[in-house]
Amino acid sequence: MGGLRPLLACYSKDAEISNHPVEDWKNVEMLVHFSDHGRDPWQNFFDSEGAYNQHLEDPHSQYTVEDNHRRYAAAYAKVQMVRQHRNFVYSIGLYGRYVRFYRWDHSGVAVSERIDCKVDGSAFAAFFQRFNSLNRKWRGWDEDVGVATERECNLLKDGILDYLAAVGEEEKPMIPLLHETLDVRWPVWTVDLRDRPYPAIGRGCRIVIGRHIWHENATGYVAWDLERGRLVFY
């Protein structure tokens, strides 16, 4: 997932875009998928009434071009939701003269009908007009999550580096892979949990988080507690 990158992304007009815009997971609003061969990867999938994927039940079968396109589209959506803490995201698929619109959430995807832009391009323009009228909540952003300031980013970074320095190189830190929290490819966010008390802490708080840690089938965040001024695991 770390090396996955889309070909084209849409941003808000006031976003500060980095030197690598398609990997700027802090600001990207919506991803655009292309099909090099111009074929719609969903057409046979819907027309076959569930039989289209039966070839994948054979362990020796190969993924088709259409299979791979759908897999990558789902992977892009997953990356965006995880790195932006989204509730859902929208994306667009361009397949020659045809376009589809997608809404992805943690349970799956809703796919629009195929629209022939050569016959009627008004739906394509109408989608962007309506999308631009949505606020952040209705674009899928979590209202309790915001971009961390430079000061907040430094609090998390310094807290982790100070802890690792105190532990020393010869002793393993209590939390394995702790350094991965500072992966620069992941945005740093503040999360307002003051209305969601955490049992180990006793009450809610505001935290700063970077990349999540995955170790031995367990996942979580090493975060900086802005109210208590210390590292916490959430």
Side-chain angles (χ1 to χ4, degrees), residues 4-9 11 17-18 20-25 28 31:
L4 195 63
R5 65 182 68 182
L7 295 176
L8 184 64
Y11 294 83
I17 302 176
S18 70
H20 305 282
V22 295
E23 296 178 289
D24 186 357
W25 297 109
V28 63
L31 303 178

Side-chain angles (χ1 to χ4, degrees), residues 174-177 180 212-220 233:
M174 183 180 299
I175 302 175
L177 307 177
E180 292 192 356
H212 67 271
I213 293 175
W214 176 271
H215 181 67
E216 295 182 352
N217 298 323
T219 185
F233 186 77

Side-chain angles (χ1 to χ4, degrees), residues 144-184:
D144 292 330
V145 178
V147 176
T149 64
E150 182 178 357
R151 172 183 172 274
E152 291 166 340
C153 292
N154 288 333
L155 287 171
L156 175 63
K157 179 180 178 180
D158 293 343
I160 291 176
L161 294 180
D162 289 347
Y163 171 77
L164 291 175
V167 170
E169 296 182 359
E170 297 181 356
E171 183 179 349
K172 292 184 178 180
M174 183 180 299
I175 302 175
L177 307 177
L178 178 62
H179 62 281
E180 292 192 356
T181 296
L182 302 178
D183 188 334
V184 296

Side-chain angles (χ1 to χ4, degrees), residues 12 29 86 88 131-132 134-141:
S12 298
E29 286 282 351
R86 292 281 202 111
F88 57 88
F131 184 83
N132 287 335
L134 299 176
N135 60 28
R136 284 176 62 86
K137 177 181 178 180
W138 290 106
R139 292 184 185 183
W141 293 91

Side-chain angles (χ1 to χ4, degrees), residues 1-2 9 13 21 30-31 35-36 69 74 93-94 103 113 118 135 144 146 198 201 221-222 230:
M1 188 169 70
K13 62 180 180 180
M30 182 169 54
L31 303 178
S35 174
D36 294 336
H69 185 94
L94 300 178
R103 183 189 183 277
E113 295 183 0
K118 191 173 182 179
N135 60 28
D144 292 330
Y198 184 52
I201 299 176
Y221 292 92
V222 175
R230 67 182 187 186

